[in-house]
Amino acid sequence: MTNPTACLLIIGNEVLSGRTRDANLQFIAQGLGEIGIPLREVRVIPDVPETIIATVNEVRAKYDHVFTTGGIGPTHDDITSECVAKAFGVPWEPHPEAWERLAAHYRKLDPPGDYNAARQRMGTMPRGATLIDNAISIAPGFTIGNVHVMAGVPRIMQAMFATLAPRLAGGPKILSHTVHARGAQEGAIAAELAAVQAHYPALDIGSYPYYRPEGGGVALVAKGTDAAEVASAGAMMLALLGTAGREGEPE
Amino acid sequence: MTNPTACLLIIGNEVLSGRTRDANLQFIAQGLGEIGIPLREVRVIPDVPETIIATVNEVRAKYDHVFTTGGIGPTHDDITSECVAKAFGVPWEPHPEAWERLAAHYRKLDPPGDYNAARQRMGTMPRGATLIDNAISIAPGFTIGNVHVMAGVPRIMQAMFATLAPRLAGGPKILSHTVHARGAQEGAIAAELAAVQAHYPALDIGSYPYYRPEGGGVALVAKGTDAAEVASAGAMMLALLGTAGREGEPE
């Protein structure tokens, strides 16, 4: 069984300007690995309608799933939802359930909040959207086709991902085996490591040097879906590190 | 004077799998803002030759500058340099200065290190490359055309960026003015904020909610190259926040 593929679009000028440090990529990458939908590409793009529309259409044709973060709030620069509707060529209109839920929320506030035009944007979605509820914010994300639209605020995005993940038909989980050696140098073991990769062409064998005040080293990682192969590659990597080798990530 | 544009390619399976959290995007985004070369797009792509070659060729045609991080070490998955040569259609060959510098380094180690085939890859570059030295690692990055190839290890990348930045002809610095209000809600001020954006079409006006245990709020940010406009938009945003408004980022 092969693994479906995924692309993440991080939408927002604030990430591109460096004002905000993205905190979603790693969470989503790890979460997708768990359900066997490996992330193959990430793009960070600005709040520019033509860019969002063109990028969504490019990547939804190329990958099995597209996840987006950012741009679904109430302000003028929150244009993801509207742009996704344009990408799919469907109307952007009140979603009955989301609209009523938001209206009820502002009605019940004490004093009542104003369900104004800005907030109504959060209840407006591409026709045919399925809601992605979350336990933290009233405003839901949504799925249309193979595109999953989530919030940019990390704890809201994480709550949406928790709702969304069980709905997705994943593939075999991506397994990982790490060994490391303090004091080892990549350049001294590169040939042997290349031989491990050649021996296990279906696995992804990576080498990651690390630097610590008390001395650096190298971590070797085997990833794949076949547990026996991953374990066997782990043993081969451990052997090539000699007496310095240790199981697991550098502590 | 207009600003040149930039794209960043983060190359590496370890970022896409979530093993490694990228620590370069924000540094480069802020550094490029300082020299007036705003980052317009970021892509995270895997260690797949066809993907690297095609992506480099796509984005170098689209943006004034392309920066890459990752994939220039000695191991089998370090293929950025070779792929950039293929993208430019030039030979990938020993760079005389880098090659000799690396050879001398391993010769002088006590005991001498082996300048083996893996390490020689770090001295091999696209024909016509200009070195990007750095104070931390012997192995340099390089520039070819409008593509700047840097290490993925953050402190080495940062040292390379320090060498590279003064060589680039930037534009006016991107200036930023932030005001915030604890307890403010985006949905309540969205219309007024949209009016600020409409009043200053050349600026980028953003709204960023924040959540803290002691209470959330919203930060409003104006960005642009015209100092008077940025300051004036800052004053307009401060006014719309009313008595809750404060200058600067949320503390």
mmCIF file of all heavy atoms in Angstrom, chain A residues 13 16-19 21-22 26 29-30 41-44 76 116 118-119 185 187 190 204-205 221 249, chain B residues 13 16-19 21-22 26 29-30 41-44 76 116 118-119 185 187 190 204-205 223 249:
data_model
loop_
_atom_site.group_PDB
_atom_site.id
_atom_site.type_symbol
_atom_site.label_atom_id
_atom_site.label_comp_id
_atom_site.label_asym_id
_atom_site.label_seq_id
_atom_site.Cartn_x
_atom_site.Cartn_y
_atom_site.Cartn_z
ATOM 1 N N ASN A 13 1.639 37.212 5.330
ATOM 2 C CA ASN A 13 2.759 38.144 5.210
ATOM 3 C C ASN A 13 3.643 38.140 6.454
ATOM 4 O O ASN A 13 4.848 38.399 6.369
ATOM 5 C CB ASN A 13 2.239 39.572 5.004
ATOM 6 C CG ASN A 13 1.498 39.745 3.690
ATOM 7 O OD1 ASN A 13 1.609 38.907 2.793
ATOM 8 N ND2 ASN A 13 0.739 40.829 3.577
ATOM 9 N N LEU A 16 6.475 35.664 6.212
ATOM 10 C CA LEU A 16 7.462 36.069 5.199
ATOM 11 C C LEU A 16 8.290 37.271 5.648
ATOM 12 O O LEU A 16 9.434 37.437 5.225
ATOM 13 C CB LEU A 16 6.761 36.404 3.876
ATOM 14 C CG LEU A 16 6.201 35.202 3.119
ATOM 15 C CD1 LEU A 16 5.357 35.675 1.941
ATOM 16 C CD2 LEU A 16 7.331 34.294 2.633
ATOM 17 N N SER A 17 7.706 38.139 6.473
ATOM 18 C CA SER A 17 8.460 39.319 6.934
ATOM 19 C C SER A 17 9.341 38.984 8.133
ATOM 20 O O SER A 17 10.184 39.782 8.527
ATOM 21 C CB SER A 17 7.498 40.441 7.326
ATOM 22 O OG SER A 17 6.845 40.131 8.552
ATOM 23 N N GLY A 18 9.128 37.802 8.724
ATOM 24 C CA GLY A 18 9.895 37.436 9.910
ATOM 25 C C GLY A 18 9.298 37.972 11.199
ATOM 26 O O GLY A 18 9.848 37.762 12.271
ATOM 27 N N ARG A 19 8.149 38.650 11.125
ATOM 28 C CA ARG A 19 7.534 39.113 12.370
ATOM 29 C C ARG A 19 7.122 37.922 13.242
ATOM 30 O O ARG A 19 7.308 37.911 14.443
ATOM 31 C CB ARG A 19 6.286 39.959 12.088
ATOM 32 C CG ARG A 19 5.661 40.432 13.402
ATOM 33 C CD ARG A 19 4.219 40.857 13.330
ATOM 34 N NE ARG A 19 3.787 41.268 14.653
ATOM 35 C CZ ARG A 19 3.174 40.455 15.513
ATOM 36 N NH1 ARG A 19 2.894 39.222 15.187
ATOM 37 N NH2 ARG A 19 2.850 40.887 16.709
ATOM 38 N N ARG A 21 7.256 33.760 13.900
ATOM 39 C CA ARG A 21 7.929 32.511 13.597
ATOM 40 C C ARG A 21 6.882 31.417 13.462
ATOM 41 O O ARG A 21 6.107 31.174 14.382
ATOM 42 C CB ARG A 21 8.911 32.148 14.715
ATOM 43 C CG ARG A 21 9.656 30.874 14.370
ATOM 44 C CD ARG A 21 10.716 30.507 15.380
ATOM 45 N NE ARG A 21 11.346 29.266 14.949
ATOM 46 C CZ ARG A 21 12.259 28.605 15.644
ATOM 47 N NH1 ARG A 21 12.652 29.076 16.797
ATOM 48 N NH2 ARG A 21 12.769 27.491 15.184
ATOM 49 N N ASP A 22 6.875 30.756 12.298
ATOM 50 C CA ASP A 22 5.915 29.670 12.110
ATOM 51 C C ASP A 22 6.091 28.602 13.174
ATOM 52 O O ASP A 22 7.198 28.174 13.477
ATOM 53 C CB ASP A 22 6.105 29.014 10.740
ATOM 54 C CG ASP A 22 5.354 27.699 10.678
ATOM 55 O OD1 ASP A 22 4.118 27.751 10.613
ATOM 56 O OD2 ASP A 22 5.990 26.630 10.757
ATOM 57 N N GLN A 26 6.189 22.000 11.834
ATOM 58 C CA GLN A 26 6.690 20.778 12.471
ATOM 59 C C GLN A 26 5.558 19.944 13.068
ATOM 60 O O GLN A 26 5.552 18.716 12.938
ATOM 61 C CB GLN A 26 7.716 21.126 13.552
ATOM 62 C CG GLN A 26 8.439 19.884 14.069
ATOM 63 C CD GLN A 26 9.490 20.207 15.107
ATOM 64 O OE1 GLN A 26 9.367 21.152 15.869
ATOM 65 N NE2 GLN A 26 10.547 19.414 15.131
ATOM 66 N N ALA A 29 3.770 18.270 10.141
ATOM 67 C CA ALA A 29 4.657 17.255 9.542
ATOM 68 C C ALA A 29 4.663 15.987 10.382
ATOM 69 O O ALA A 29 4.538 14.873 9.860
ATOM 70 C CB ALA A 29 6.075 17.812 9.412
ATOM 71 N N GLN A 30 4.806 16.139 11.691
ATOM 72 C CA GLN A 30 4.843 14.969 12.564
ATOM 73 C C GLN A 30 3.474 14.281 12.616
ATOM 74 O O GLN A 30 3.384 13.054 12.574
ATOM 75 C CB GLN A 30 5.290 15.383 13.966
ATOM 76 C CG GLN A 30 6.759 15.813 14.000
ATOM 77 C CD GLN A 30 7.219 16.278 15.376
ATOM 78 O OE1 GLN A 30 6.400 16.561 16.254
ATOM 79 N NE2 GLN A 30 8.527 16.381 15.550
ATOM 80 N N GLU A 41 5.904 18.814 0.429
ATOM 81 C CA GLU A 41 6.293 20.197 0.093
ATOM 82 C C GLU A 41 5.572 21.151 1.020
ATOM 83 O O GLU A 41 4.452 20.867 1.462
ATOM 84 C CB GLU A 41 5.917 20.511 -1.367
ATOM 85 C CG GLU A 41 6.332 21.903 -1.812
ATOM 86 C CD GLU A 41 6.109 22.180 -3.307
ATOM 87 O OE1 GLU A 41 5.736 21.252 -4.053
ATOM 88 O OE2 GLU A 41 6.297 23.334 -3.714
ATOM 89 N N VAL A 42 6.227 22.248 1.316
ATOM 90 C CA VAL A 42 5.611 23.342 2.066
ATOM 91 C C VAL A 42 5.871 24.621 1.291
ATOM 92 O O VAL A 42 6.970 24.813 0.764
ATOM 93 C CB VAL A 42 6.224 23.487 3.480
ATOM 94 C CG1 VAL A 42 5.578 24.645 4.234
ATOM 95 C CG2 VAL A 42 6.097 22.192 4.273
ATOM 96 N N ARG A 43 4.860 25.470 1.209
ATOM 97 C CA ARG A 43 5.097 26.804 0.652
ATOM 98 C C ARG A 43 4.573 27.844 1.625
ATOM 99 O O ARG A 43 3.486 27.688 2.184
ATOM 100 C CB ARG A 43 4.387 26.989 -0.696
ATOM 101 C CG ARG A 43 4.914 26.047 -1.755
ATOM 102 C CD ARG A 43 4.476 26.490 -3.142
ATOM 103 N NE ARG A 43 4.740 25.426 -4.094
ATOM 104 C CZ ARG A 43 4.503 25.508 -5.397
ATOM 105 N NH1 ARG A 43 3.978 26.629 -5.897
ATOM 106 N NH2 ARG A 43 4.765 24.504 -6.201
ATOM 107 N N VAL A 44 5.350 28.886 1.796
ATOM 108 C CA VAL A 44 4.898 30.049 2.548
ATOM 109 C C VAL A 44 4.615 31.133 1.524
ATOM 110 O O VAL A 44 5.509 31.493 0.739
ATOM 111 C CB VAL A 44 5.961 30.541 3.545
ATOM 112 C CG1 VAL A 44 5.379 31.643 4.431
ATOM 113 C CG2 VAL A 44 6.498 29.389 4.395
ATOM 114 N N HIS A 76 -9.223 42.371 7.163
ATOM 115 C CA HIS A 76 -9.129 42.558 5.711
ATOM 116 C C HIS A 76 -8.075 41.671 5.058
ATOM 117 O O HIS A 76 -8.151 41.380 3.868
ATOM 118 C CB HIS A 76 -8.803 44.036 5.401
ATOM 119 C CG HIS A 76 -7.433 44.412 5.898
ATOM 120 N ND1 HIS A 76 -7.204 44.755 7.216
ATOM 121 C CD2 HIS A 76 -6.228 44.451 5.284
ATOM 122 C CE1 HIS A 76 -5.910 45.016 7.383
ATOM 123 N NE2 HIS A 76 -5.309 44.834 6.235
ATOM 124 N N ASN A 116 -20.975 41.406 13.313
ATOM 125 C CA ASN A 116 -20.852 42.412 12.246
ATOM 126 C C ASN A 116 -20.298 41.804 10.954
ATOM 127 O O ASN A 116 -20.023 40.601 10.880
ATOM 128 C CB ASN A 116 -19.971 43.565 12.741
ATOM 129 C CG ASN A 116 -18.568 43.094 13.135
ATOM 130 O OD1 ASN A 116 -18.109 42.060 12.664
ATOM 131 N ND2 ASN A 116 -17.904 43.852 14.002
ATOM 132 N N ALA A 118 -17.455 41.943 9.561
ATOM 133 C CA ALA A 118 -16.128 41.311 9.671
ATOM 134 C C ALA A 118 -16.266 39.893 10.224
ATOM 135 O O ALA A 118 -15.683 38.945 9.692
ATOM 136 C CB ALA A 118 -15.225 42.159 10.566
ATOM 137 N N ARG A 119 -17.040 39.755 11.283
ATOM 138 C CA ARG A 119 -17.207 38.428 11.899
ATOM 139 C C ARG A 119 -18.019 37.492 11.009
ATOM 140 O O ARG A 119 -17.824 36.264 11.038
ATOM 141 C CB ARG A 119 -17.864 38.588 13.268
ATOM 142 C CG ARG A 119 -16.872 39.180 14.275
ATOM 143 C CD ARG A 119 -17.534 39.629 15.546
ATOM 144 N NE ARG A 119 -16.528 39.970 16.546
ATOM 145 C CZ ARG A 119 -16.735 40.810 17.563
ATOM 146 N NH1 ARG A 119 -17.919 41.402 17.723
ATOM 147 N NH2 ARG A 119 -15.777 41.062 18.423
ATOM 148 N N GLN A 185 32.200 12.296 12.867
ATOM 149 C CA GLN A 185 32.183 13.315 11.814
ATOM 150 C C GLN A 185 31.527 12.740 10.564
ATOM 151 O O GLN A 185 31.879 11.635 10.123
ATOM 152 C CB GLN A 185 33.606 13.755 11.491
ATOM 153 C CG GLN A 185 34.252 14.511 12.647
ATOM 154 C CD GLN A 185 35.573 15.120 12.224
ATOM 155 O OE1 GLN A 185 36.374 14.470 11.550
ATOM 156 N NE2 GLN A 185 35.794 16.371 12.595
ATOM 157 N N GLY A 187 31.906 13.435 7.489
ATOM 158 C CA GLY A 187 32.808 13.181 6.369
ATOM 159 C C GLY A 187 33.557 11.862 6.495
ATOM 160 O O GLY A 187 34.001 11.286 5.503
ATOM 161 N N ALA A 190 30.652 8.970 5.646
ATOM 162 C CA ALA A 190 29.719 9.216 4.536
ATOM 163 C C ALA A 190 29.644 8.038 3.565
ATOM 164 O O ALA A 190 28.554 7.691 3.097
ATOM 165 C CB ALA A 190 30.110 10.494 3.793
ATOM 166 N N ASP A 204 14.494 6.195 3.688
ATOM 167 C CA ASP A 204 15.119 7.519 3.611
ATOM 168 C C ASP A 204 16.168 7.570 4.726
ATOM 169 O O ASP A 204 15.821 7.577 5.902
ATOM 170 C CB ASP A 204 14.030 8.578 3.804
ATOM 171 C CG ASP A 204 14.612 9.975 3.920
ATOM 172 O OD1 ASP A 204 15.709 10.212 3.393
ATOM 173 O OD2 ASP A 204 13.953 10.824 4.552
ATOM 174 N N ILE A 205 17.442 7.551 4.322
ATOM 175 C CA ILE A 205 18.539 7.540 5.294
ATOM 176 C C ILE A 205 19.131 8.942 5.366
ATOM 177 O O ILE A 205 19.603 9.479 4.369
ATOM 178 C CB ILE A 205 19.653 6.552 4.867
ATOM 179 C CG1 ILE A 205 19.087 5.147 4.617
ATOM 180 C CG2 ILE A 205 20.779 6.532 5.893
ATOM 181 C CD1 ILE A 205 18.597 4.421 5.843
ATOM 182 N N VAL A 221 19.505 8.786 10.798
ATOM 183 C CA VAL A 221 18.086 8.468 10.903
ATOM 184 C C VAL A 221 17.641 7.639 9.699
ATOM 185 O O VAL A 221 17.916 8.005 8.551
ATOM 186 C CB VAL A 221 17.241 9.762 10.967
ATOM 187 C CG1 VAL A 221 15.765 9.425 11.138
ATOM 188 C CG2 VAL A 221 17.712 10.659 12.100
ATOM 189 N N GLU A 249 18.013 9.514 19.750
ATOM 190 C CA GLU A 249 18.438 10.893 19.471
ATOM 191 C C GLU A 249 19.514 11.303 20.476
ATOM 192 O O GLU A 249 19.528 10.817 21.599
ATOM 193 C CB GLU A 249 17.247 11.842 19.611
ATOM 194 C CG GLU A 249 16.138 11.641 18.596
ATOM 195 C CD GLU A 249 16.458 12.258 17.243
ATOM 196 O OE1 GLU A 249 17.395 13.078 17.165
ATOM 197 O OE2 GLU A 249 15.784 11.920 16.266
ATOM 198 N N ASN B 13 14.762 16.630 3.653
ATOM 199 C CA ASN B 13 13.714 15.719 4.115
ATOM 200 C C ASN B 13 13.433 15.888 5.602
ATOM 201 O O ASN B 13 12.307 15.652 6.053
ATOM 202 C CB ASN B 13 14.143 14.260 3.879
ATOM 203 C CG ASN B 13 14.273 13.917 2.409
ATOM 204 O OD1 ASN B 13 13.775 14.645 1.561
ATOM 205 N ND2 ASN B 13 14.949 12.830 2.109
ATOM 206 N N LEU B 16 10.699 18.375 6.288
ATOM 207 C CA LEU B 16 9.384 17.883 5.834
ATOM 208 C C LEU B 16 8.853 16.756 6.719
ATOM 209 O O LEU B 16 7.636 16.581 6.841
ATOM 210 C CB LEU B 16 9.478 17.396 4.386
ATOM 211 C CG LEU B 16 9.644 18.497 3.339
ATOM 212 C CD1 LEU B 16 9.916 17.884 1.973
ATOM 213 C CD2 LEU B 16 8.401 19.379 3.279
ATOM 214 N N SER B 17 9.746 15.984 7.311
ATOM 215 C CA SER B 17 9.291 14.881 8.173
ATOM 216 C C SER B 17 8.984 15.375 9.581
ATOM 217 O O SER B 17 8.406 14.647 10.384
ATOM 218 C CB SER B 17 10.353 13.785 8.245
ATOM 219 O OG SER B 17 11.446 14.205 9.046
ATOM 220 N N GLY B 18 9.393 16.597 9.893
ATOM 221 C CA GLY B 18 9.181 17.112 11.240
ATOM 222 C C GLY B 18 10.278 16.721 12.215
ATOM 223 O O GLY B 18 10.224 17.057 13.393
ATOM 224 N N ARG B 19 11.316 15.996 11.744
ATOM 225 C CA ARG B 19 12.410 15.671 12.665
ATOM 226 C C ARG B 19 13.101 16.935 13.147
ATOM 227 O O ARG B 19 13.425 17.094 14.318
ATOM 228 C CB ARG B 19 13.457 14.776 11.984
ATOM 229 C CG ARG B 19 14.567 14.411 12.961
ATOM 230 C CD ARG B 19 15.852 13.915 12.349
ATOM 231 N NE ARG B 19 16.809 13.658 13.406
ATOM 232 C CZ ARG B 19 17.697 14.547 13.834
ATOM 233 N NH1 ARG B 19 17.782 15.732 13.291
ATOM 234 N NH2 ARG B 19 18.522 14.246 14.836
ATOM 235 N N ARG B 21 13.145 21.148 13.340
ATOM 236 C CA ARG B 21 12.381 22.380 13.216
ATOM 237 C C ARG B 21 13.244 23.426 12.537
ATOM 238 O O ARG B 21 14.331 23.755 13.019
ATOM 239 C CB ARG B 21 11.959 22.891 14.598
ATOM 240 C CG ARG B 21 11.097 24.135 14.473
ATOM 241 C CD ARG B 21 10.549 24.632 15.788
ATOM 242 N NE ARG B 21 9.764 25.834 15.525
ATOM 243 C CZ ARG B 21 9.184 26.570 16.449
ATOM 244 N NH1 ARG B 21 9.288 26.237 17.711
ATOM 245 N NH2 ARG B 21 8.502 27.640 16.118
ATOM 246 N N ASP B 22 12.761 23.958 11.424
ATOM 247 C CA ASP B 22 13.521 24.984 10.722
ATOM 248 C C ASP B 22 13.782 26.172 11.630
ATOM 249 O O ASP B 22 12.890 26.668 12.321
ATOM 250 C CB ASP B 22 12.759 25.478 9.496
ATOM 251 C CG ASP B 22 13.391 26.755 8.965
ATOM 252 O OD1 ASP B 22 14.487 26.674 8.402
ATOM 253 O OD2 ASP B 22 12.811 27.844 9.182
ATOM 254 N N GLN B 26 12.968 32.587 9.732
ATOM 255 C CA GLN B 26 12.751 33.876 10.377
ATOM 256 C C GLN B 26 14.008 34.750 10.342
ATOM 257 O O GLN B 26 13.933 35.958 10.095
ATOM 258 C CB GLN B 26 12.284 33.678 11.821
ATOM 259 C CG GLN B 26 11.833 34.984 12.461
ATOM 260 C CD GLN B 26 11.289 34.808 13.865
ATOM 261 O OE1 GLN B 26 11.751 33.949 14.614
ATOM 262 N NE2 GLN B 26 10.327 35.618 14.225
ATOM 263 N N ALA B 29 14.368 36.043 6.791
ATOM 264 C CA ALA B 29 13.295 37.008 6.511
ATOM 265 C C ALA B 29 13.612 38.367 7.128
ATOM 266 O O ALA B 29 13.482 39.413 6.482
ATOM 267 C CB ALA B 29 11.968 36.479 7.046
ATOM 268 N N GLN B 30 14.035 38.353 8.379
ATOM 269 C CA GLN B 30 14.346 39.612 9.051
ATOM 270 C C GLN B 30 15.591 40.267 8.457
ATOM 271 O O GLN B 30 15.638 41.478 8.244
ATOM 272 C CB GLN B 30 14.529 39.372 10.553
ATOM 273 C CG GLN B 30 13.218 38.979 11.240
ATOM 274 C CD GLN B 30 13.387 38.676 12.724
ATOM 275 O OE1 GLN B 30 14.498 38.468 13.209
ATOM 276 N NE2 GLN B 30 12.275 38.636 13.457
ATOM 277 N N GLU B 41 8.392 34.484 -1.017
ATOM 278 C CA GLU B 41 7.935 33.095 -1.006
ATOM 279 C C GLU B 41 9.002 32.224 -0.364
ATOM 280 O O GLU B 41 10.196 32.522 -0.471
ATOM 281 C CB GLU B 41 7.675 32.607 -2.453
ATOM 282 C CG GLU B 41 7.151 31.184 -2.525
ATOM 283 C CD GLU B 41 6.744 30.739 -3.937
ATOM 284 O OE1 GLU B 41 6.736 31.560 -4.870
ATOM 285 O OE2 GLU B 41 6.446 29.540 -4.086
ATOM 286 N N VAL B 42 8.559 31.187 0.292
ATOM 287 C CA VAL B 42 9.459 30.163 0.833
ATOM 288 C C VAL B 42 8.927 28.816 0.377
ATOM 289 O O VAL B 42 7.713 28.593 0.387
ATOM 290 C CB VAL B 42 9.487 30.181 2.376
ATOM 291 C CG1 VAL B 42 10.425 29.093 2.911
ATOM 292 C CG2 VAL B 42 9.891 31.545 2.900
ATOM 293 N N ARG B 43 9.816 27.927 -0.007
ATOM 294 C CA ARG B 43 9.405 26.549 -0.263
ATOM 295 C C ARG B 43 10.319 25.603 0.507
ATOM 296 O O ARG B 43 11.533 25.793 0.531
ATOM 297 C CB ARG B 43 9.487 26.208 -1.760
ATOM 298 C CG ARG B 43 8.542 27.040 -2.597
ATOM 299 C CD ARG B 43 8.387 26.441 -3.986
ATOM 300 N NE ARG B 43 7.727 27.396 -4.861
ATOM 301 C CZ ARG B 43 7.398 27.143 -6.118
ATOM 302 N NH1 ARG B 43 7.664 25.956 -6.650
ATOM 303 N NH2 ARG B 43 6.793 28.056 -6.859
ATOM 304 N N VAL B 44 9.712 24.610 1.103
ATOM 305 C CA VAL B 44 10.469 23.526 1.724
ATOM 306 C C VAL B 44 10.333 22.329 0.799
ATOM 307 O O VAL B 44 9.201 21.912 0.494
ATOM 308 C CB VAL B 44 9.926 23.170 3.121
ATOM 309 C CG1 VAL B 44 10.852 22.156 3.792
ATOM 310 C CG2 VAL B 44 9.765 24.418 3.989
ATOM 311 N N HIS B 76 25.538 11.443 1.340
ATOM 312 C CA HIS B 76 24.862 11.075 0.090
ATOM 313 C C HIS B 76 23.600 11.911 -0.157
ATOM 314 O O HIS B 76 23.174 12.077 -1.293
ATOM 315 C CB HIS B 76 24.468 9.595 0.122
ATOM 316 C CG HIS B 76 23.453 9.294 1.180
ATOM 317 N ND1 HIS B 76 23.790 9.131 2.514
ATOM 318 C CD2 HIS B 76 22.101 9.204 1.132
ATOM 319 C CE1 HIS B 76 22.701 8.922 3.224
ATOM 320 N NE2 HIS B 76 21.659 8.965 2.413
ATOM 321 N N ASN B 116 38.766 12.791 1.891
ATOM 322 C CA ASN B 116 38.223 11.678 1.105
ATOM 323 C C ASN B 116 37.162 12.154 0.098
ATOM 324 O O ASN B 116 36.860 13.348 0.013
ATOM 325 C CB ASN B 116 37.648 10.603 2.041
ATOM 326 C CG ASN B 116 36.536 11.163 2.942
ATOM 327 O OD1 ASN B 116 35.899 12.153 2.593
ATOM 328 N ND2 ASN B 116 36.307 10.525 4.082
ATOM 329 N N ALA B 118 34.010 11.922 0.037
ATOM 330 C CA ALA B 118 32.839 12.594 0.612
ATOM 331 C C ALA B 118 33.162 14.062 0.896
ATOM 332 O O ALA B 118 32.383 14.963 0.555
ATOM 333 C CB ALA B 118 32.405 11.884 1.896
ATOM 334 N N ARG B 119 34.310 14.298 1.512
ATOM 335 C CA ARG B 119 34.677 15.686 1.848
ATOM 336 C C ARG B 119 35.002 16.494 0.594
ATOM 337 O O ARG B 119 34.810 17.721 0.574
ATOM 338 C CB ARG B 119 35.852 15.672 2.827
ATOM 339 C CG ARG B 119 35.397 15.227 4.222
ATOM 340 C CD ARG B 119 36.534 14.894 5.148
ATOM 341 N NE ARG B 119 36.042 14.691 6.517
ATOM 342 C CZ ARG B 119 36.666 13.960 7.445
ATOM 343 N NH1 ARG B 119 37.807 13.360 7.157
ATOM 344 N NH2 ARG B 119 36.140 13.840 8.645
ATOM 345 N N GLN B 185 -10.438 42.942 20.412
ATOM 346 C CA GLN B 185 -10.830 41.814 19.569
ATOM 347 C C GLN B 185 -10.773 42.236 18.110
ATOM 348 O O GLN B 185 -11.294 43.285 17.734
ATOM 349 C CB GLN B 185 -12.246 41.377 19.931
ATOM 350 C CG GLN B 185 -12.338 40.786 21.330
ATOM 351 C CD GLN B 185 -13.692 40.149 21.561
ATOM 352 O OE1 GLN B 185 -14.714 40.760 21.253
ATOM 353 N NE2 GLN B 185 -13.693 38.930 22.070
ATOM 354 N N GLY B 187 -12.390 41.212 15.560
ATOM 355 C CA GLY B 187 -13.678 41.370 14.896
ATOM 356 C C GLY B 187 -14.332 42.713 15.184
ATOM 357 O O GLY B 187 -15.158 43.192 14.398
ATOM 358 N N ALA B 190 -12.125 45.424 12.885
ATOM 359 C CA ALA B 190 -11.735 45.034 11.521
ATOM 360 C C ALA B 190 -12.096 46.100 10.484
ATOM 361 O O ALA B 190 -11.314 46.373 9.565
ATOM 362 C CB ALA B 190 -12.373 43.698 11.157
ATOM 363 N N ASP B 204 1.685 47.566 4.072
ATOM 364 C CA ASP B 204 1.115 46.265 4.412
ATOM 365 C C ASP B 204 0.626 46.364 5.850
ATOM 366 O O ASP B 204 1.426 46.488 6.778
ATOM 367 C CB ASP B 204 2.201 45.194 4.249
ATOM 368 C CG ASP B 204 1.756 43.835 4.758
ATOM 369 O OD1 ASP B 204 0.533 43.583 4.770
ATOM 370 O OD2 ASP B 204 2.633 43.039 5.136
ATOM 371 N N ILE B 205 -0.704 46.367 6.029
ATOM 372 C CA ILE B 205 -1.304 46.508 7.356
ATOM 373 C C ILE B 205 -1.768 45.139 7.820
ATOM 374 O O ILE B 205 -2.604 44.497 7.169
ATOM 375 C CB ILE B 205 -2.510 47.470 7.321
ATOM 376 C CG1 ILE B 205 -2.128 48.820 6.705
ATOM 377 C CG2 ILE B 205 -3.113 47.616 8.725
ATOM 378 C CD1 ILE B 205 -1.204 49.667 7.532
ATOM 379 N N LYS B 223 3.745 48.017 7.744
ATOM 380 C CA LYS B 223 5.073 47.834 7.166
ATOM 381 C C LYS B 223 5.157 48.538 5.827
ATOM 382 O O LYS B 223 4.193 48.547 5.060
ATOM 383 C CB LYS B 223 5.374 46.337 6.954
ATOM 384 C CG LYS B 223 5.751 45.598 8.226
ATOM 385 C CD LYS B 223 6.093 44.144 7.930
ATOM 386 C CE LYS B 223 6.485 43.413 9.200
ATOM 387 N NZ LYS B 223 7.830 43.781 9.686
ATOM 388 N N GLU B 249 5.274 46.127 20.395
ATOM 389 C CA GLU B 249 4.810 44.737 20.473
ATOM 390 C C GLU B 249 4.251 44.463 21.872
ATOM 391 O O GLU B 249 4.694 45.058 22.841
ATOM 392 C CB GLU B 249 5.982 43.778 20.216
ATOM 393 C CG GLU B 249 6.545 43.828 18.822
ATOM 394 C CD GLU B 249 5.710 43.068 17.804
ATOM 395 O OE1 GLU B 249 4.853 42.269 18.210
ATOM 396 O OE2 GLU B 249 5.917 43.289 16.599
#
